[in-house]
Amino acid sequence: MSTPHTIESGFERFHQLVLGNTALQEDLTGITDREAFISRAVELGHQHGVPIQPADVVAALQAARGAWMDSQMV
């Protein structure tokens, strides 16, 4: 029996790439400017064969912020 094939979004693939690569994590961690972070993430994605768009990064940042805010509510 085969499992259904799920298509990962470009950002999900990029996220997994970064989680498995300490050098990429360190590269992105040091960026404090939002626009610079978005640009660098897009650049790194393309360099590693994972095309992502700035809107993908913005959406992921907003989702992460929302999840963090939800976790802070008691």
PDB file of all heavy atoms in Angstrom, residues 17-53:
ATOM      1  N   LEU A  17      15.512  22.678   5.392  1.00  0.00           N
ATOM      2  CA  LEU A  17      16.917  22.847   5.025  1.00  0.00           C
ATOM      3  C   LEU A  17      17.659  23.619   6.112  1.00  0.00           C
ATOM      4  O   LEU A  17      18.736  23.218   6.560  1.00  0.00           O
ATOM      5  CB  LEU A  17      17.028  23.576   3.678  1.00  0.00           C
ATOM      6  CG  LEU A  17      18.427  23.962   3.218  1.00  0.00           C
ATOM      7  CD1 LEU A  17      19.226  22.718   2.838  1.00  0.00           C
ATOM      8  CD2 LEU A  17      18.343  24.924   2.044  1.00  0.00           C
ATOM      9  N   VAL A  18      17.074  24.714   6.555  1.00  0.00           N
ATOM     10  CA  VAL A  18      17.708  25.542   7.590  1.00  0.00           C
ATOM     11  C   VAL A  18      17.810  24.785   8.910  1.00  0.00           C
ATOM     12  O   VAL A  18      18.841  24.838   9.583  1.00  0.00           O
ATOM     13  CB  VAL A  18      16.951  26.881   7.765  1.00  0.00           C
ATOM     14  CG1 VAL A  18      17.463  27.655   8.978  1.00  0.00           C
ATOM     15  CG2 VAL A  18      17.062  27.727   6.503  1.00  0.00           C
ATOM     16  N   LEU A  19      16.760  24.053   9.279  1.00  0.00           N
ATOM     17  CA  LEU A  19      16.808  23.289  10.529  1.00  0.00           C
ATOM     18  C   LEU A  19      17.936  22.271  10.532  1.00  0.00           C
ATOM     19  O   LEU A  19      18.510  21.978  11.585  1.00  0.00           O
ATOM     20  CB  LEU A  19      15.475  22.576  10.766  1.00  0.00           C
ATOM     21  CG  LEU A  19      14.301  23.462  11.165  1.00  0.00           C
ATOM     22  CD1 LEU A  19      13.029  22.628  11.288  1.00  0.00           C
ATOM     23  CD2 LEU A  19      14.578  24.197  12.463  1.00  0.00           C
ATOM     24  N   GLY A  20      18.285  21.750   9.367  1.00  0.00           N
ATOM     25  CA  GLY A  20      19.335  20.747   9.277  1.00  0.00           C
ATOM     26  C   GLY A  20      20.711  21.292   8.959  1.00  0.00           C
ATOM     27  O   GLY A  20      21.650  20.523   8.741  1.00  0.00           O
ATOM     28  N   ASN A  21      20.859  22.625   8.919  1.00  0.00           N
ATOM     29  CA  ASN A  21      22.127  23.216   8.510  1.00  0.00           C
ATOM     30  C   ASN A  21      22.508  24.347   9.465  1.00  0.00           C
ATOM     31  O   ASN A  21      21.973  25.451   9.386  1.00  0.00           O
ATOM     32  CB  ASN A  21      21.995  23.727   7.071  1.00  0.00           C
ATOM     33  CG  ASN A  21      23.282  24.226   6.483  1.00  0.00           C
ATOM     34  OD1 ASN A  21      24.041  24.927   7.137  1.00  0.00           O
ATOM     35  ND2 ASN A  21      23.513  23.877   5.232  1.00  0.00           N
ATOM     36  N   THR A  22      23.452  24.071  10.338  1.00  0.00           N
ATOM     37  CA  THR A  22      23.870  25.042  11.350  1.00  0.00           C
ATOM     38  C   THR A  22      24.398  26.325  10.725  1.00  0.00           C
ATOM     39  O   THR A  22      24.134  27.419  11.232  1.00  0.00           O
ATOM     40  CB  THR A  22      24.945  24.425  12.271  1.00  0.00           C
ATOM     41  OG1 THR A  22      24.429  23.213  12.822  1.00  0.00           O
ATOM     42  CG2 THR A  22      25.307  25.354  13.398  1.00  0.00           C
ATOM     43  N   ALA A  23      25.129  26.222   9.628  1.00  0.00           N
ATOM     44  CA  ALA A  23      25.683  27.414   8.982  1.00  0.00           C
ATOM     45  C   ALA A  23      24.567  28.340   8.499  1.00  0.00           C
ATOM     46  O   ALA A  23      24.658  29.572   8.652  1.00  0.00           O
ATOM     47  CB  ALA A  23      26.589  27.024   7.822  1.00  0.00           C
ATOM     48  N   LEU A  24      23.508  27.774   7.939  1.00  0.00           N
ATOM     49  CA  LEU A  24      22.376  28.597   7.499  1.00  0.00           C
ATOM     50  C   LEU A  24      21.678  29.236   8.692  1.00  0.00           C
ATOM     51  O   LEU A  24      21.277  30.401   8.645  1.00  0.00           O
ATOM     52  CB  LEU A  24      21.380  27.765   6.686  1.00  0.00           C
ATOM     53  CG  LEU A  24      21.847  27.286   5.323  1.00  0.00           C
ATOM     54  CD1 LEU A  24      20.770  26.424   4.669  1.00  0.00           C
ATOM     55  CD2 LEU A  24      22.221  28.450   4.431  1.00  0.00           C
ATOM     56  N   GLN A  25      21.541  28.477   9.771  1.00  0.00           N
ATOM     57  CA  GLN A  25      20.918  29.023  10.983  1.00  0.00           C
ATOM     58  C   GLN A  25      21.713  30.217  11.490  1.00  0.00           C
ATOM     59  O   GLN A  25      21.146  31.262  11.821  1.00  0.00           O
ATOM     60  CB  GLN A  25      20.847  27.955  12.071  1.00  0.00           C
ATOM     61  CG  GLN A  25      19.894  26.830  11.765  1.00  0.00           C
ATOM     62  CD  GLN A  25      20.015  25.689  12.762  1.00  0.00           C
ATOM     63  OE1 GLN A  25      20.394  25.895  13.911  1.00  0.00           O
ATOM     64  NE2 GLN A  25      19.689  24.495  12.311  1.00  0.00           N
ATOM     65  N   GLU A  26      23.034  30.069  11.553  1.00  0.00           N
ATOM     66  CA  GLU A  26      23.880  31.150  12.044  1.00  0.00           C
ATOM     67  C   GLU A  26      23.821  32.361  11.120  1.00  0.00           C
ATOM     68  O   GLU A  26      23.815  33.504  11.586  1.00  0.00           O
ATOM     69  CB  GLU A  26      25.314  30.660  12.202  1.00  0.00           C
ATOM     70  CG  GLU A  26      25.474  29.673  13.332  1.00  0.00           C
ATOM     71  CD  GLU A  26      26.858  29.033  13.394  1.00  0.00           C
ATOM     72  OE1 GLU A  26      27.700  29.325  12.510  1.00  0.00           O
ATOM     73  OE2 GLU A  26      27.077  28.238  14.317  1.00  0.00           O
ATOM     74  N   ASP A  27      23.760  32.111   9.819  1.00  0.00           N
ATOM     75  CA  ASP A  27      23.672  33.196   8.847  1.00  0.00           C
ATOM     76  C   ASP A  27      22.416  34.028   9.091  1.00  0.00           C
ATOM     77  O   ASP A  27      22.466  35.259   9.144  1.00  0.00           O
ATOM     78  CB  ASP A  27      23.667  32.606   7.432  1.00  0.00           C
ATOM     79  CG  ASP A  27      23.782  33.644   6.331  1.00  0.00           C
ATOM     80  OD1 ASP A  27      23.411  34.816   6.550  1.00  0.00           O
ATOM     81  OD2 ASP A  27      24.237  33.283   5.239  1.00  0.00           O
ATOM     82  N   LEU A  28      21.298  33.368   9.283  1.00  0.00           N
ATOM     83  CA  LEU A  28      20.029  34.071   9.450  1.00  0.00           C
ATOM     84  C   LEU A  28      19.841  34.646  10.854  1.00  0.00           C
ATOM     85  O   LEU A  28      19.216  35.691  11.016  1.00  0.00           O
ATOM     86  CB  LEU A  28      18.869  33.138   9.103  1.00  0.00           C
ATOM     87  CG  LEU A  28      18.769  32.766   7.622  1.00  0.00           C
ATOM     88  CD1 LEU A  28      17.792  31.617   7.423  1.00  0.00           C
ATOM     89  CD2 LEU A  28      18.374  33.974   6.791  1.00  0.00           C
ATOM     90  N   THR A  29      20.385  33.997  11.851  1.00  0.00           N
ATOM     91  CA  THR A  29      20.189  34.426  13.233  1.00  0.00           C
ATOM     92  C   THR A  29      20.755  35.810  13.501  1.00  0.00           C
ATOM     93  O   THR A  29      20.193  36.575  14.266  1.00  0.00           O
ATOM     94  CB  THR A  29      20.824  33.413  14.213  1.00  0.00           C
ATOM     95  OG1 THR A  29      20.190  32.154  14.023  1.00  0.00           O
ATOM     96  CG2 THR A  29      20.657  33.834  15.656  1.00  0.00           C
ATOM     97  N   GLY A  30      21.854  36.141  12.858  1.00  0.00           N
ATOM     98  CA  GLY A  30      22.497  37.425  13.115  1.00  0.00           C
ATOM     99  C   GLY A  30      21.815  38.621  12.477  1.00  0.00           C
ATOM    100  O   GLY A  30      22.194  39.761  12.731  1.00  0.00           O
ATOM    101  N   ILE A  31      20.791  38.419  11.685  1.00  0.00           N
ATOM    102  CA  ILE A  31      20.136  39.518  10.966  1.00  0.00           C
ATOM    103  C   ILE A  31      18.994  40.070  11.823  1.00  0.00           C
ATOM    104  O   ILE A  31      18.063  39.352  12.164  1.00  0.00           O
ATOM    105  CB  ILE A  31      19.605  39.041   9.603  1.00  0.00           C
ATOM    106  CG1 ILE A  31      20.749  38.477   8.763  1.00  0.00           C
ATOM    107  CG2 ILE A  31      18.905  40.179   8.880  1.00  0.00           C
ATOM    108  CD1 ILE A  31      20.303  37.791   7.485  1.00  0.00           C
ATOM    109  N   THR A  32      19.088  41.348  12.151  1.00  0.00           N
ATOM    110  CA  THR A  32      18.066  41.959  13.002  1.00  0.00           C
ATOM    111  C   THR A  32      17.070  42.818  12.219  1.00  0.00           C
ATOM    112  O   THR A  32      15.991  43.104  12.717  1.00  0.00           O
ATOM    113  CB  THR A  32      18.717  42.826  14.099  1.00  0.00           C
ATOM    114  OG1 THR A  32      19.545  43.811  13.475  1.00  0.00           O
ATOM    115  CG2 THR A  32      19.555  41.967  15.040  1.00  0.00           C
ATOM    116  N   ASP A  33      17.425  43.215  11.014  1.00  0.00           N
ATOM    117  CA  ASP A  33      16.527  44.014  10.180  1.00  0.00           C
ATOM    118  C   ASP A  33      15.581  43.093   9.416  1.00  0.00           C
ATOM    119  O   ASP A  33      16.025  42.170   8.733  1.00  0.00           O
ATOM    120  CB  ASP A  33      17.355  44.860   9.203  1.00  0.00           C
ATOM    121  CG  ASP A  33      16.471  45.661   8.267  1.00  0.00           C
ATOM    122  OD1 ASP A  33      15.924  46.677   8.729  1.00  0.00           O
ATOM    123  OD2 ASP A  33      16.324  45.253   7.094  1.00  0.00           O
ATOM    124  N   ARG A  34      14.281  43.328   9.530  1.00  0.00           N
ATOM    125  CA  ARG A  34      13.270  42.461   8.919  1.00  0.00           C
ATOM    126  C   ARG A  34      13.450  42.333   7.410  1.00  0.00           C
ATOM    127  O   ARG A  34      13.429  41.229   6.872  1.00  0.00           O
ATOM    128  CB  ARG A  34      11.882  42.994   9.263  1.00  0.00           C
ATOM    129  CG  ARG A  34      10.739  42.186   8.689  1.00  0.00           C
ATOM    130  CD  ARG A  34       9.406  42.829   9.071  1.00  0.00           C
ATOM    131  NE  ARG A  34       8.286  42.243   8.398  1.00  0.00           N
ATOM    132  CZ  ARG A  34       7.548  41.246   8.871  1.00  0.00           C
ATOM    133  NH1 ARG A  34       7.825  40.721  10.038  1.00  0.00           N
ATOM    134  NH2 ARG A  34       6.533  40.784   8.181  1.00  0.00           N
ATOM    135  N   GLU A  35      13.609  43.448   6.721  1.00  0.00           N
ATOM    136  CA  GLU A  35      13.746  43.410   5.259  1.00  0.00           C
ATOM    137  C   GLU A  35      15.028  42.697   4.842  1.00  0.00           C
ATOM    138  O   GLU A  35      15.038  41.948   3.861  1.00  0.00           O
ATOM    139  CB  GLU A  35      13.685  44.816   4.665  1.00  0.00           C
ATOM    140  CG  GLU A  35      12.333  45.478   4.822  1.00  0.00           C
ATOM    141  CD  GLU A  35      11.180  44.661   4.234  1.00  0.00           C
ATOM    142  OE1 GLU A  35      11.324  44.123   3.117  1.00  0.00           O
ATOM    143  OE2 GLU A  35      10.136  44.557   4.906  1.00  0.00           O
ATOM    144  N   ALA A  36      16.105  42.917   5.590  1.00  0.00           N
ATOM    145  CA  ALA A  36      17.366  42.232   5.290  1.00  0.00           C
ATOM    146  C   ALA A  36      17.219  40.732   5.510  1.00  0.00           C
ATOM    147  O   ALA A  36      17.750  39.925   4.735  1.00  0.00           O
ATOM    148  CB  ALA A  36      18.497  42.796   6.155  1.00  0.00           C
ATOM    149  N   PHE A  37      16.491  40.341   6.566  1.00  0.00           N
ATOM    150  CA  PHE A  37      16.265  38.923   6.842  1.00  0.00           C
ATOM    151  C   PHE A  37      15.477  38.280   5.702  1.00  0.00           C
ATOM    152  O   PHE A  37      15.835  37.200   5.215  1.00  0.00           O
ATOM    153  CB  PHE A  37      15.497  38.756   8.164  1.00  0.00           C
ATOM    154  CG  PHE A  37      15.194  37.324   8.490  1.00  0.00           C
ATOM    155  CD1 PHE A  37      16.108  36.551   9.181  1.00  0.00           C
ATOM    156  CD2 PHE A  37      13.997  36.741   8.098  1.00  0.00           C
ATOM    157  CE1 PHE A  37      15.844  35.218   9.473  1.00  0.00           C
ATOM    158  CE2 PHE A  37      13.719  35.414   8.374  1.00  0.00           C
ATOM    159  CZ  PHE A  37      14.643  34.648   9.079  1.00  0.00           C
ATOM    160  N   ILE A  38      14.425  38.946   5.274  1.00  0.00           N
ATOM    161  CA  ILE A  38      13.596  38.411   4.185  1.00  0.00           C
ATOM    162  C   ILE A  38      14.428  38.252   2.917  1.00  0.00           C
ATOM    163  O   ILE A  38      14.405  37.199   2.276  1.00  0.00           O
ATOM    164  CB  ILE A  38      12.368  39.317   3.953  1.00  0.00           C
ATOM    165  CG1 ILE A  38      11.431  39.250   5.176  1.00  0.00           C
ATOM    166  CG2 ILE A  38      11.642  38.943   2.672  1.00  0.00           C
ATOM    167  CD1 ILE A  38      10.378  40.331   5.210  1.00  0.00           C
ATOM    168  N   SER A  39      15.191  39.274   2.572  1.00  0.00           N
ATOM    169  CA  SER A  39      16.034  39.214   1.370  1.00  0.00           C
ATOM    170  C   SER A  39      17.055  38.091   1.456  1.00  0.00           C
ATOM    171  O   SER A  39      17.272  37.360   0.482  1.00  0.00           O
ATOM    172  CB  SER A  39      16.764  40.545   1.167  1.00  0.00           C
ATOM    173  OG  SER A  39      15.850  41.563   0.871  1.00  0.00           O
ATOM    174  N   ARG A  40      17.686  37.952   2.616  1.00  0.00           N
ATOM    175  CA  ARG A  40      18.713  36.909   2.779  1.00  0.00           C
ATOM    176  C   ARG A  40      18.089  35.519   2.724  1.00  0.00           C
ATOM    177  O   ARG A  40      18.661  34.607   2.125  1.00  0.00           O
ATOM    178  CB  ARG A  40      19.467  37.107   4.090  1.00  0.00           C
ATOM    179  CG  ARG A  40      20.615  36.150   4.280  1.00  0.00           C
ATOM    180  CD  ARG A  40      21.691  36.374   3.245  1.00  0.00           C
ATOM    181  NE  ARG A  40      22.811  35.467   3.486  1.00  0.00           N
ATOM    182  CZ  ARG A  40      23.554  34.937   2.540  1.00  0.00           C
ATOM    183  NH1 ARG A  40      23.377  35.256   1.276  1.00  0.00           N
ATOM    184  NH2 ARG A  40      24.523  34.108   2.848  1.00  0.00           N
ATOM    185  N   ALA A  41      16.925  35.347   3.326  1.00  0.00           N
ATOM    186  CA  ALA A  41      16.258  34.044   3.282  1.00  0.00           C
ATOM    187  C   ALA A  41      15.920  33.667   1.844  1.00  0.00           C
ATOM    188  O   ALA A  41      16.151  32.527   1.417  1.00  0.00           O
ATOM    189  CB  ALA A  41      14.995  34.066   4.145  1.00  0.00           C
ATOM    190  N   VAL A  42      15.395  34.616   1.080  1.00  0.00           N
ATOM    191  CA  VAL A  42      15.066  34.355  -0.323  1.00  0.00           C
ATOM    192  C   VAL A  42      16.340  33.999  -1.096  1.00  0.00           C
ATOM    193  O   VAL A  42      16.372  33.035  -1.866  1.00  0.00           O
ATOM    194  CB  VAL A  42      14.352  35.568  -0.956  1.00  0.00           C
ATOM    195  CG1 VAL A  42      14.237  35.430  -2.467  1.00  0.00           C
ATOM    196  CG2 VAL A  42      12.970  35.749  -0.328  1.00  0.00           C
ATOM    197  N   GLU A  43      17.400  34.769  -0.864  1.00  0.00           N
ATOM    198  CA  GLU A  43      18.682  34.518  -1.537  1.00  0.00           C
ATOM    199  C   GLU A  43      19.216  33.123  -1.200  1.00  0.00           C
ATOM    200  O   GLU A  43      19.628  32.374  -2.094  1.00  0.00           O
ATOM    201  CB  GLU A  43      19.689  35.586  -1.112  1.00  0.00           C
ATOM    202  CG  GLU A  43      21.062  35.424  -1.715  1.00  0.00           C
ATOM    203  CD  GLU A  43      22.042  36.474  -1.205  1.00  0.00           C
ATOM    204  OE1 GLU A  43      21.624  37.442  -0.524  1.00  0.00           O
ATOM    205  OE2 GLU A  43      23.238  36.310  -1.468  1.00  0.00           O
ATOM    206  N   LEU A  44      19.206  32.764   0.075  1.00  0.00           N
ATOM    207  CA  LEU A  44      19.701  31.447   0.486  1.00  0.00           C
ATOM    208  C   LEU A  44      18.841  30.325  -0.084  1.00  0.00           C
ATOM    209  O   LEU A  44      19.360  29.282  -0.497  1.00  0.00           O
ATOM    210  CB  LEU A  44      19.755  31.344   2.015  1.00  0.00           C
ATOM    211  CG  LEU A  44      20.831  32.169   2.695  1.00  0.00           C
ATOM    212  CD1 LEU A  44      20.639  32.153   4.208  1.00  0.00           C
ATOM    213  CD2 LEU A  44      22.224  31.668   2.315  1.00  0.00           C
ATOM    214  N   GLY A  45      17.541  30.536  -0.104  1.00  0.00           N
ATOM    215  CA  GLY A  45      16.657  29.534  -0.694  1.00  0.00           C
ATOM    216  C   GLY A  45      17.022  29.263  -2.137  1.00  0.00           C
ATOM    217  O   GLY A  45      17.201  28.110  -2.548  1.00  0.00           O
ATOM    218  N   HIS A  46      17.179  30.317  -2.907  1.00  0.00           N
ATOM    219  CA  HIS A  46      17.524  30.167  -4.326  1.00  0.00           C
ATOM    220  C   HIS A  46      18.899  29.525  -4.491  1.00  0.00           C
ATOM    221  O   HIS A  46      19.081  28.675  -5.364  1.00  0.00           O
ATOM    222  CB  HIS A  46      17.446  31.513  -5.035  1.00  0.00           C
ATOM    223  CG  HIS A  46      16.036  31.960  -5.264  1.00  0.00           C
ATOM    224  ND1 HIS A  46      15.322  31.665  -6.393  1.00  0.00           N
ATOM    225  CD2 HIS A  46      15.196  32.683  -4.466  1.00  0.00           C
ATOM    226  CE1 HIS A  46      14.112  32.175  -6.303  1.00  0.00           C
ATOM    227  NE2 HIS A  46      14.007  32.793  -5.133  1.00  0.00           N
ATOM    228  N   GLN A  47      19.863  29.911  -3.643  1.00  0.00           N
ATOM    229  CA  GLN A  47      21.208  29.317  -3.712  1.00  0.00           C
ATOM    230  C   GLN A  47      21.182  27.820  -3.469  1.00  0.00           C
ATOM    231  O   GLN A  47      22.023  27.092  -3.984  1.00  0.00           O
ATOM    232  CB  GLN A  47      22.146  29.971  -2.689  1.00  0.00           C
ATOM    233  CG  GLN A  47      22.590  31.353  -3.050  1.00  0.00           C
ATOM    234  CD  GLN A  47      23.454  31.969  -1.949  1.00  0.00           C
ATOM    235  OE1 GLN A  47      23.749  31.357  -0.929  1.00  0.00           O
ATOM    236  NE2 GLN A  47      23.846  33.216  -2.164  1.00  0.00           N
ATOM    237  N   HIS A  48      20.239  27.365  -2.685  1.00  0.00           N
ATOM    238  CA  HIS A  48      20.158  25.946  -2.332  1.00  0.00           C
ATOM    239  C   HIS A  48      19.069  25.204  -3.103  1.00  0.00           C
ATOM    240  O   HIS A  48      18.646  24.116  -2.705  1.00  0.00           O
ATOM    241  CB  HIS A  48      19.958  25.796  -0.821  1.00  0.00           C
ATOM    242  CG  HIS A  48      21.169  26.207  -0.037  1.00  0.00           C
ATOM    243  ND1 HIS A  48      22.230  25.354   0.192  1.00  0.00           N
ATOM    244  CD2 HIS A  48      21.512  27.381   0.529  1.00  0.00           C
ATOM    245  CE1 HIS A  48      23.156  25.991   0.877  1.00  0.00           C
ATOM    246  NE2 HIS A  48      22.745  27.229   1.094  1.00  0.00           N
ATOM    247  N   GLY A  49      18.609  25.811  -4.187  1.00  0.00           N
ATOM    248  CA  GLY A  49      17.648  25.134  -5.054  1.00  0.00           C
ATOM    249  C   GLY A  49      16.236  25.066  -4.518  1.00  0.00           C
ATOM    250  O   GLY A  49      15.457  24.205  -4.913  1.00  0.00           O
ATOM    251  N   VAL A  50      15.915  25.956  -3.590  1.00  0.00           N
ATOM    252  CA  VAL A  50      14.576  25.991  -3.009  1.00  0.00           C
ATOM    253  C   VAL A  50      14.012  27.396  -3.247  1.00  0.00           C
ATOM    254  O   VAL A  50      14.188  28.294  -2.424  1.00  0.00           O
ATOM    255  CB  VAL A  50      14.606  25.670  -1.496  1.00  0.00           C
ATOM    256  CG1 VAL A  50      13.198  25.615  -0.940  1.00  0.00           C
ATOM    257  CG2 VAL A  50      15.343  24.375  -1.220  1.00  0.00           C
ATOM    258  N   PRO A  51      13.370  27.588  -4.385  1.00  0.00           N
ATOM    259  CA  PRO A  51      12.877  28.930  -4.695  1.00  0.00           C
ATOM    260  C   PRO A  51      11.731  29.351  -3.778  1.00  0.00           C
ATOM    261  O   PRO A  51      10.715  28.668  -3.689  1.00  0.00           O
ATOM    262  CB  PRO A  51      12.413  28.813  -6.144  1.00  0.00           C
ATOM    263  CG  PRO A  51      12.119  27.368  -6.342  1.00  0.00           C
ATOM    264  CD  PRO A  51      13.042  26.619  -5.423  1.00  0.00           C
ATOM    265  N   ILE A  52      11.954  30.425  -3.061  1.00  0.00           N
ATOM    266  CA  ILE A  52      10.903  31.001  -2.215  1.00  0.00           C
ATOM    267  C   ILE A  52      10.783  32.475  -2.569  1.00  0.00           C
ATOM    268  O   ILE A  52      11.697  33.076  -3.117  1.00  0.00           O
ATOM    269  CB  ILE A  52      11.184  30.810  -0.709  1.00  0.00           C
ATOM    270  CG1 ILE A  52      12.525  31.412  -0.303  1.00  0.00           C
ATOM    271  CG2 ILE A  52      11.107  29.348  -0.328  1.00  0.00           C
ATOM    272  CD1 ILE A  52      12.791  31.403   1.195  1.00  0.00           C
ATOM    273  N   GLN A  53       9.660  33.032  -2.236  1.00  0.00           N
ATOM    274  CA  GLN A  53       9.377  34.433  -2.520  1.00  0.00           C
ATOM    275  C   GLN A  53       9.339  35.213  -1.210  1.00  0.00           C
ATOM    276  O   GLN A  53       9.070  34.647  -0.149  1.00  0.00           O
ATOM    277  CB  GLN A  53       8.026  34.559  -3.228  1.00  0.00           C
ATOM    278  CG  GLN A  53       7.940  33.802  -4.531  1.00  0.00           C
ATOM    279  CD  GLN A  53       8.970  34.288  -5.535  1.00  0.00           C
ATOM    280  OE1 GLN A  53       9.156  35.497  -5.709  1.00  0.00           O
ATOM    281  NE2 GLN A  53       9.649  33.362  -6.178  1.00  0.00           N
TER     282      GLN A  53
END
